[in-house]
Amino acid sequence: EPDAATATAAAAAVAVAAAAEETRHAIAAARAASEASACAAAACKALESSAAVCGPAAAAAAPRAVPRGPPLTPSEQFAAEGGAQLLTAMAASHLPEVLRTIDGGAFAAEAPVRSVQLGVQELVCTHQRLVHLKWSPSGDEILKTWNVPWRRVKGVELQRDRHRVLMLLFSTRELPADSGEPADALHPPSRQVECGNAAATRLVYDAIQTGRALHGEREAMLQLAASSGP
């Protein structure tokens, strides 16, 4: 009899403990559901507030139109096509040394202001002239060179169909007697630069015209300074 009563009491205690555990789980689940519901309600309220402030477009904004950028400059086009660069005197650090070594150092006192490199060709603009260099394929030796003082340039033609820039030159008879230019036997009536494509042709043309303009400005400043006197 006592043993049966004890077993019954123990079974009842186990049943009570199991019921309590189930209750705790149910309470925890209900609490989690409540918190999730509260979060969802808060999110909905935030969306409603946003729509009220920003209007209907806030939910699905229309894609923005990105304006078209400016067209590529000739130098950018040619660089994209591969291989040519427009250099300033600071960037082309080898040019001062080149000018000191070619033609026995005749251009050592001239500073490069612009340069265009076209494969093995290189055009160097100084304030006084255009210097054309032809490099060896390895790039460590100058094979050929010619130069044209800006004062000898009569005109510049942009020959797009031939991918060429042609410079027409004054003869020494058309220049002032004190120009210091040598006899025409050493200078042809024109010089041309073969550029290879339309973008490079425009790039070379612009560089030459810039060199001419810088030369003209420099000469005008020198004349102004000379006329002003001490």
Side-chain angles (χ1 to χ4, degrees), residues 149-167:
W150 295 121
R151 65 169 64 92
R152 291 208 61 188
V153 179
K154 181 187 299 186
V156 182
E157 294 183 4
L158 176 64
Q159 300 180 346
R160 293 186 179 88
D161 55 338
R162 298 183 178 182
H163 298 162
R164 174 190 299 167
V165 176
L166 178 68
M167 290 182 293

Side-chain angles (χ1 to χ4, degrees), residues 82-132:
Q85 295 178 333
L86 177 63
L87 305 174
T88 62
M90 292 180 64
S93 58
H94 68 289
L95 294 180
E97 179 62 26
V98 169
L99 292 176
R100 285 193 292 268
T101 56
I102 61 176
D103 287 4
F107 316 129
E110 300 182 17
V113 295
R114 202 163 186 181
S115 172
V116 179
Q117 189 168 354
L118 306 173
V120 297
Q121 295 186 86
E122 187 167 16
L123 302 178
V124 184
C125 298
T126 73
H127 284 295
Q128 288 79 25
R129 72 192 70 244
L130 172 69
V131 180
H132 178 276

Side-chain angles (χ1 to χ4, degrees), residues 35 76 98 115 138 210-211:
E35 291 176 354
E76 290 170 334
V98 169
S115 172
S138 60
T210 298

Side-chain angles (χ1 to χ4, degrees), residues 6-7 27 33-34 36 55 57 67 69 74 110 123 135 137 159 181 187 197 201 206 212 224:
T6 301
I27 292 173
S34 177
E110 300 182 17
L123 302 178
W135 292 87
Q159 300 180 346
E181 292 297 323
H187 290 81
N197 61 56
T201 304
D206 289 345
R212 294 181 69 194
L224 180 61

Side-chain angles (χ1 to χ4, degrees), residues 47 75 82 89 102 128 134 136 154 162 191 194 206 217-218 226:
L47 288 175
S75 60
I102 61 176
Q128 288 79 25
K134 183 177 181 181
S136 64
K154 181 187 299 186
R162 298 183 178 182
R191 287 287 191 183
E194 303 293 342
D206 289 345
E217 293 175 1
R218 182 175 182 272

